[in-house]
Amino acid sequence: MAEILQKDGTWAFDGDALRLTPGLDKNVSLLRRTLGELVVPLGALAGISFEQGKKSGRLRLRLRDGADPLLLATGGRLTEPHDPYQLVVESDRYGVAEYFVDEVRGALLLDRVPADPVDTYLLPGPAVPISVSAGDGTASFDGEQVRLEWNWKTEDAKAAAGARTLALSEITAVEWYPGAGLENGHLRFTVRNAPTKAPPKYDPNAVELWNFRRDPLMALVAAAVQVRLPHPATQTKDVRPTRPEALAAPAPAVEDDHDAVLRRLRELGELHRSGVLTDEEFAVAKQAILKTM
């Protein structure tokens, strides 16, 4: 088992999954502390890296596209303090961090975990019920419906219609944008047969966010809804008709040795490009496979 303990949090790896526990330090973001401990199965990982700095370094996990509803709902817009897949490492623990990376990369190689996208969620998303008050309203989700309630800062045109209750079956998409500089953010729900281009401050299906401390917590509401929606990959698959001759052709009983070697080389190339394998590891593994030809 590999483990690294820091003020920012603790990461542990048992060969099958990584357990990411946020630290108790005051600099740990409210989002990470609210989200709590995450268990990331090895099969959800696309890679891991460690970046050294003069005073501190940073461990980073890269998940396979589509594996985590939080990353999908936020579209990669979580900044460093709020990203649960980053860990600040103090300079005196660089050796431990490098060992941790080697252990995880070795397991990815041994289990032949591909780095390509997935068509199903591999993490469960935040627990429900969940309720967050930020910006111009409160968003609550119990697993079946979303409720939006407004406060005194809400625009009159939006507040006049009163609180909104959206059944999960009515929601087709959810998006979260953080506030940045003078630009406000939002949590917005797209409702079936009710498209709108209204700004979030006027949209009755959106909460406007003003870049305050609790705003990032709305990302957890977005993720809790996202994980219960159909996975985007299932909606965009290119379904092509099967040719009659393909239906008639019998499937090969055993994969040709040459094809197997080429397939494995392609897999190694993908792992190398994604950063799972170092140049050295890639060269050694490639030579070992070529010797079998």
Side-chain angles (χ1 to χ4, degrees):
M1 179 172 175
E3 186 177 52
I4 179 166
L5 290 79
Q6 294 291 278
K7 292 179 181 179
D8 196 37
T10 299
W11 284 14
F13 177 58
D14 63 5
D16 296 316
L18 288 97
R19 191 174 296 273
L20 316 180
T21 308
L24 301 177
D25 189 74
K26 64 180 181 180
N27 292 323
V28 176
S29 77
L30 180 60
L31 183 148
R32 287 179 56 206
R33 284 190 274 122
T34 304
L35 183 60
E37 185 176 83
L38 284 176
V39 177
V40 183
L42 185 64
L45 282 185
I48 183 172
S49 64
F50 175 58
E51 303 163 4
Q52 292 189 18
K54 291 183 179 179
K55 295 183 178 179
S56 65
R58 193 174 295 272
L59 274 170
R60 297 179 190 267
L61 292 182
R62 188 164 63 85
L63 272 62
R64 297 171 66 184
D65 289 343
D68 180 27
L70 176 62
L71 294 183
L72 200 57
T74 57
R77 293 179 288 271
L78 280 176
T79 53
E80 288 184 359
H82 310 299
D83 187 345
Y85 303 113
Q86 298 188 32
L87 181 72
V88 176
V89 178
E90 297 166 13
S91 58
D92 62 343
R93 307 299 287 171
Y94 282 0
V96 178
E98 290 170 348
Y99 170 75
F100 191 92
V101 168
D102 288 343
E103 288 293 296
V104 176
R105 283 181 175 172
L108 288 170
L109 179 60
L110 193 62
D111 285 17
R112 298 184 178 182
V113 177
D116 54 342
V118 295
D119 58 6
T120 186
Y121 298 115
L122 301 181
L123 280 87
V128 294
I130 183 172
S131 182
V132 176
S133 296
D136 69 352
T138 297
S140 306
F141 180 56
D142 62 5
E144 296 181 358
Q145 60 183 23
V146 171
R147 184 169 176 80
L148 302 177
E149 299 173 273
W150 313 117
N151 56 38
W152 65 272
K153 295 170 283 187
T154 309
E155 282 288 327
D156 292 342
K158 183 161 73 170
R164 297 277 290 172
T165 299
L166 306 174
L168 186 63
S169 58
E170 299 175 359
I171 299 172
T172 59
V174 57
E175 64 179 12
W176 171 84
Y177 275 83
L182 299 178
E183 295 292 326
N184 293 338
H186 66 261
L187 169 69
R188 190 198 298 269
F189 299 94
T190 302
V191 179
R192 194 182 314 278
N193 300 323
T196 178
K197 294 183 179 180
K201 68 186 300 181
Y202 299 116
D203 184 357
N205 298 323
V207 177
E208 186 179 33
L209 304 173
W210 298 314
N211 203 17
F212 293 152
R213 181 172 176 266
R214 293 184 61 83
D215 285 6
L217 295 183
M218 284 293 185
L220 302 183
V221 179
V225 173
Q226 181 71 62
V227 75
R228 289 166 175 82
L229 297 178
H231 195 285
T234 64
Q235 302 174 29
T236 57
K237 281 185 176 178
D238 182 14
V239 181
R240 300 181 182 180
T242 306
R243 297 172 61 186
E245 56 268 33
L247 290 172
V254 181
E255 186 179 29
D256 180 78
D257 288 343
H258 185 262
D259 289 342
V261 169
L262 292 178
R263 176 177 56 80
R264 184 63 186 130
L265 286 173
R266 283 195 297 270
E267 290 174 354
L268 281 176
E270 290 173 3
L271 291 173
H272 181 231
R273 285 191 295 274
S274 65
V276 174
L277 291 179
T278 63
D279 293 343
E280 224 173 86
E281 291 168 337
F282 173 68
V284 171
K286 180 179 177 182
Q287 287 302 317
I289 290 175
L290 291 176
K291 286 179 182 178
T292 65
M293 294 187 63

